[in-house]
């Protein structure tokens, strides 16, 4: 009896090692591209973005899910770093704060050039893979970061933004967030307002990935219907397995399939199990479900490391990715499906977004209505009626002509 138990235990251990070995072999030439990591926010809150603080050394950084040795152990070859600022910055200093977070991402690349390569294109990601560096891209997490300005959106593109999450956990004046679906906030735009649709069109024109993590279901559907390119959910999971409104319902997953879009699964326990505790196996369940409903080409990883307080057992930090890949192989995912989830699905979507872009088209210009904005901390240049009167002076004079004539006759 004991001999039999010992033999079965040995077989299980050897089998586990086999899947882990296969995972590492695959990841050596197809490293993972993660859709969302909040290390830049940690650098702000822990060190005020002072990277030369000895405690902020990314080769030995403690008390975070992410550092350079952990990234290497996890075979992370591409990372969308989140340029996140809280909703409380809306109508205040959101733009400045966002620029500072983009700046710290770029300084990470400058300070650790053998480890990070800041890139802005799918080709840049492939080049970083070849050089053995982490392709580092900027994702701006929250539409409040553009302050309802198409000009600001374009400026953020020019300093490196390659995805924009349309909302965080707050409405913008032009898009509704997921808390609308819980009843905690009221819908303002019924998905996307006319200006919100202009934002989507401008993102398409520029070649910026549209990110639907954090938005309401109505916003998800409006953007999926309007966008001329595939979209992403940079860090969301499957609603059918965990009924949290941050997750993606099956009817939207079917739209993801129809549009060739991508869901990058979030590892936060509350979105995985809807409980305080979760496991690596439950994360794999979400990947299986999205694959079943939307297809293997719709699956990716958006761990939300350093942005959440609770992570599944077995996925405690970014070094654990090979264990998750081993679990998918154990579940009989093919190597092509695994490579897709690791990187190729994101690369396909990014290339489609780049191909759909067209910088020769005239940019969207019509500003949001002034009455949609909180005016307590802003000026209203450009909204004045004076320019209109200047341009319509001929009409004004013509309308006043009878009055002027009557005065002359007095």
């Amino acid at each position: 009896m004991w001999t039999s138990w010992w033999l079965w235990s040995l077989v299980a251990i050897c089998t586990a090692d086999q899947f882990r070995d296969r995972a590492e072999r695959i990841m050596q030439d197809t490293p993972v591209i993660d859709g969302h990591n909040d290390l830049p926010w940690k650098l702000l809150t822990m060190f005020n973005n002072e990277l030369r603080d000895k405690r902020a050394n990314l080769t030995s950084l403690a008390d975070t899910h992410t550092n350079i040795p952990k990234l290497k152990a996890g075979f992370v070859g591409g990372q969308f770093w989140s340029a996140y600022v809280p909703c409380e910055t809306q109508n205040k200093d959101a733009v400045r704060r966002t620029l500072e977070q983009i700046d710290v991402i770029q300084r990470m690349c400058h300070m650790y050039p053998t480890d990070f390569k800041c890139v802005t294109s799918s080709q840049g990601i492939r080049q970083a893979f070849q050089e053995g560096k982490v392709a580092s891209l900027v994702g701006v997490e929250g539409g409040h970061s553009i302050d309802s300005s198409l000009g600001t959106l374009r400026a953020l593109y020019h300093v490196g933004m390659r995805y924009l999450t349309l909302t965080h956990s707050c409405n913008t004046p032009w898009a509704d967030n997921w808390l609308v679906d819980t009843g905690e906030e009221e819908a303002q735009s019924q998905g996307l307002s006319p200006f919100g649709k202009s934002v989507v069109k401008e993102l398409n024109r520029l070649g910026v990935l549209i990110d639907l993590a954090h938005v309401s279901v109505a916003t998800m559907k409006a953007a999926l219907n309007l966008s001329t390119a595939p979209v992403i959910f940079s860090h969301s999971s499957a609603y059918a397995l965990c009924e949290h409104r941050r997750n993606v319902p099956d009817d939207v997953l079917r739209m993801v399939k129809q549009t060739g879009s991508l869901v990058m699964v979030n590892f936060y326990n509350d979105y995985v199990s809807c409980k305080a505790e979760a496991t690596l196996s439950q994360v794999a369940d979400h990947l299986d479900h999205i694959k079943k409903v939307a297809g293997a080409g719709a699956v990716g990883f958006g761990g939300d490391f350093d942005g959440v307080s609770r992570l599944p057992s077995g996925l405690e930090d970014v070094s654990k990715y090979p264990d998750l890949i081993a679990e998918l192989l154990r579940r009989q995912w093919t190597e092509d499906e695994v490579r897709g989830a690791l990187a190729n699905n994101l690369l396909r979507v990014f290339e489609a977004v780049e191909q759909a872009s067209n910088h020769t088209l005239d940019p969207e210009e019509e500003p949001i209505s002034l009455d949609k904005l909180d005016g307590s901390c802003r000026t209203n240049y450009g909204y004045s009626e004076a320019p209109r009167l200047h341009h319509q002076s001929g009409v004004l004079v013509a309308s006043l002509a009878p009055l002027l004539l009557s005065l002359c006759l007095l």
Side-chain angles (χ1 to χ4, degrees):
M1 174 181 169
W2 289 106
T3 302
S4 175
W5 175 87
W6 182 84
L7 285 173
W8 279 113
S9 297
L10 183 61
V11 168
I13 292 170
C14 292
T15 302
D17 287 345
Q18 174 191 357
F19 288 121
R20 172 71 188 224
D21 290 344
R22 283 183 64 198
E24 291 193 7
R25 176 179 58 79
I26 293 169
M27 297 176 82
Q28 284 173 356
D29 56 33
T30 310
V32 63
I33 302 173
D34 181 276
H36 193 87
N37 186 301
D38 278 297
L39 178 63
W41 179 249
K42 286 287 189 181
L43 294 174
L44 173 64
T45 57
M46 295 172 70
F47 311 113
N48 201 22
N49 284 342
E50 296 179 43
L51 297 185
R52 298 202 178 278
D53 185 321
K54 291 182 179 180
R55 298 169 300 162
N57 189 325
L58 296 187
T59 63
S60 57
L61 183 62
D63 302 320
T64 57
H65 304 144
T66 312
N67 62 29
I68 289 170
K70 290 175 183 176
L71 289 165
K72 290 181 177 178
F75 293 89
V76 177
Q79 183 65 67
F80 280 90
W81 301 107
S82 176
Y84 161 74
V85 298
C87 284
E88 66 188 275
T89 65
Q90 184 162 216
N91 299 313
K92 298 176 184 176
D93 56 351
V95 176
R96 190 203 103 196
R97 288 288 191 176
T98 301
L99 288 169
E100 290 174 345
Q101 292 311 102
I102 294 174
D103 170 72
V104 81
I105 294 166
Q106 293 172 341
R107 285 190 288 120
M108 284 167 53
C109 294
H110 178 75
M111 193 165 180
Y112 301 93
T114 61
D115 302 299
F116 300 129
K117 183 181 180 70
C118 278
V119 303
T120 56
S121 67
S122 58
Q123 182 54 42
I125 296 175
R126 296 183 188 278
Q127 183 62 39
F129 282 4
Q130 293 176 5
E131 296 176 14
K133 300 177 183 179
V134 179
S136 296
L137 302 100
V138 174
V140 171
E141 188 183 12
H144 58 284
S145 285
I146 70 168
D147 197 26
S148 299
S149 164
L150 294 167
T152 300
L153 185 158
R154 286 186 283 272
L156 291 178
Y157 168 80
H158 289 301
V159 295
M161 176 184 72
R162 285 304 178 269
Y163 79 58
L164 176 66
T165 315
L166 296 188
T167 72
H168 195 256
S169 297
C170 54
N171 291 340
T172 67
W174 43 271
D176 294 333
N177 85 102
W178 67 275
L179 290 170
V180 167
D181 296 328
T182 70
E184 295 176 64
E185 294 191 9
E186 292 186 8
Q188 296 178 352
S189 302
Q190 313 308 317
L192 290 172
S193 74
F195 182 80
K197 293 176 182 178
S198 293
V199 170
V200 167
K201 292 176 183 178
E202 190 64 2
L203 293 169
N204 284 161
R205 188 189 72 85
L206 291 169
V208 177
L209 291 154
I210 295 166
D211 177 25
L212 302 182
H214 286 281
V215 307
S216 70
V217 171
T219 307
M220 294 177 192
K221 292 180 178 180
L224 281 159
N225 282 323
L226 179 62
S227 178
T228 57
V231 306
I232 65 168
F233 293 78
S234 68
H235 56 306
S236 297
S237 299
Y239 183 81
L241 299 189
C242 171
E243 294 185 354
H244 194 292
R245 286 299 182 180
R246 269 284 280 105
N247 289 337
V248 188
D250 280 3
D251 59 338
V252 175
L253 287 179
R254 286 187 281 272
M255 295 178 71
V256 166
K257 182 176 184 177
Q258 293 166 1
T259 56
S261 296
L262 181 66
V263 179
M264 309 182 85
V265 169
N266 193 311
F267 299 168
Y268 182 38
N269 290 356
D270 295 44
Y271 305 160
V272 172
S273 65
C274 286
K275 298 177 181 178
E277 304 296 328
T279 65
L280 178 152
S281 180
Q282 288 175 307
V283 173
D285 291 342
H286 281 263
L287 294 161
D288 276 341
H289 183 81
I290 293 167
K291 175 187 166 188
K292 177 182 177 181
V293 177
V299 183
F301 304 105
D304 211 356
F305 287 110
D306 284 309
V308 297
S309 56
R310 294 185 290 271
L311 287 163
S313 59
L315 285 171
E316 293 82 3
D317 59 52
V318 297
S319 72
K320 304 298 185 179
Y321 265 114
D323 294 323
L324 180 55
I325 300 308
E327 175 64 17
L328 297 183
L329 292 169
R330 189 176 293 109
R331 295 180 181 214
Q332 299 185 337
W333 282 48
T334 68
E335 288 200 10
D336 281 347
E337 290 171 342
V338 166
R339 291 180 193 277
L342 283 167
N344 292 342
N345 293 342
L346 184 280
L347 287 169
R348 171 188 58 78
V349 169
F350 199 178
E351 288 165 355
V353 168
E354 291 169 334
Q355 290 166 8
S357 69
N358 189 345
H359 288 225
T360 65
L361 292 177
D362 291 336
E364 295 287 322
E365 288 189 331
E366 184 174 349
I368 193 168
S369 298
L370 183 60
D371 61 5
K372 299 294 185 183
L373 300 175
D374 181 340
S376 61
C377 292
R378 67 177 75 245
T379 59
N380 63 353
Y381 296 117
Y383 287 99
S384 168
E385 291 298 314
R388 294 186 184 180
L389 291 174
H390 174 76
H391 290 303
Q392 297 175 4
S393 58
V395 175
L396 179 61
V397 170
S399 65
L400 293 175
L403 176 60
L404 293 172
L405 179 60
S406 65
L407 290 173
C408 291
L409 295 176
L410 290 177

